[in-house]
Amino acid sequence: IAKRYGQDRKTGMLHEEHVEEITQEHLIEDYNVKLFLTRQGYLKKIPLISLRSSGDHKLKEEDVILQEIDARNKSDLILFSDKFMAYKLKVHEINDCKASSLGEYLENILEMGPNERVLYMVSTEDYSGYMLFSYQNGKSAKIPLSSYATKTNRKKLANAYSDLDPLCDIRFLQ
């Protein structure tokens, strides 16, 4: 019977060390987004596909967009506040929204202190580049973005920049 009806094996055998584990990271959809930060502390994450078809941004009265950056859904987001803190978020943890909505209120998401507001945001996938902090005394500090990378999933980083003199400007350098 084996000679007459026998066939080669149609499946293969895998050893345990060759099996790839599927993590939560594999299940996150990756797509391009645009992030908008407003003066009153709102953050909008809008997929580029829906941004093309949308109209004007809905903002609160007397609110303006401070910063707009391109990112990917699997990126990390670092937000710098006026209280010398850096807050880290995964972009995929922020809900997608449309231009016609206000967005996410950062004080609720980040558990910020009273009267604290976000000044600047940076999106990164590999923590390359530098942050440039300029102060009123004329001095500047260039800090590698890799300084903000953490092995654990910490969301709040204290003393993100110097508090010795008032801050004038923050910039991200490639």
Side-chain angles (χ1 to χ4, degrees), residues 98-130:
K98 298 187 183 314
S100 59
S101 70
L102 289 176
E104 299 281 338
Y105 190 52
L106 288 174
E107 193 170 320
N108 296 340
I109 296 173
L110 302 176
E111 301 169 4
M112 295 168 43
N115 300 323
E116 186 175 7
R117 62 187 193 93
V118 173
L119 302 173
Y120 196 78
M121 66 179 172
V122 175
S123 170
T124 183
E125 293 179 28
D126 58 357
Y127 289 90
S128 63
Y130 298 91

Side-chain angles (χ1 to χ4, degrees), residues 30-173:
D30 197 18
Y31 52 90
N32 293 327
V33 296
K34 195 163 270 273
L35 299 169
F36 297 92
L37 176 67
T38 69
R39 181 181 292 149
Q40 291 185 3
Y42 286 90
L43 179 67
K44 292 184 185 188
K45 178 181 106 174
I46 305 175
L48 286 183
I49 295 168
S50 66
L51 186 63
R52 292 185 191 118
S53 61
S54 63
D56 293 335
H57 282 280
K58 179 180 180 183
L59 299 171
K60 279 190 159 185
E61 219 173 282
E62 297 180 17
D63 197 8
V64 294
I65 294 175
L66 290 178
Q67 189 181 1
E68 138 185 1
I69 61 171
D70 293 320
R72 300 194 56 77
N73 197 43
K74 287 189 175 183
S75 300
D76 288 346
L77 185 66
I78 305 172
L79 300 127
F80 294 94
S81 78
D82 60 349
K83 302 289 186 197
F84 319 107
M85 303 291 265
Y87 295 93
K88 288 175 49 175
L89 283 174
K90 302 277 187 195
V91 174
H92 65 83
E93 293 174 351
I94 304 166
N95 295 328
D96 288 0
C97 65
K98 298 187 183 314
S100 59
S101 70
L102 289 176
E104 299 281 338
Y105 190 52
L106 288 174
E107 193 170 320
N108 296 340
I109 296 173
L110 302 176
E111 301 169 4
M112 295 168 43
N115 300 323
E116 186 175 7
R117 62 187 193 93
V118 173
L119 302 173
Y120 196 78
M121 66 179 172
V122 175
S123 170
T124 183
E125 293 179 28
D126 58 357
Y127 289 90
S128 63
Y130 298 91
M131 291 302 301
L132 183 67
F133 298 96
S134 301
Y135 299 95
Q136 283 185 356
N137 64 1
K139 294 183 178 180
S140 293
K142 182 179 169 185
I143 300 172
L145 197 62
S146 59
S147 301
Y148 300 103
T150 55
K151 289 185 174 45
T152 59
N153 201 10
R154 288 189 359 212
K155 292 187 183 249
K156 190 175 184 179
L157 306 173
N159 301 319
Y161 57 93
S162 175
D163 59 352
L164 297 177
D165 210 47
L167 189 68
C168 286
D169 191 42
I170 303 175
R171 294 277 178 238
F172 173 68
L173 308 172

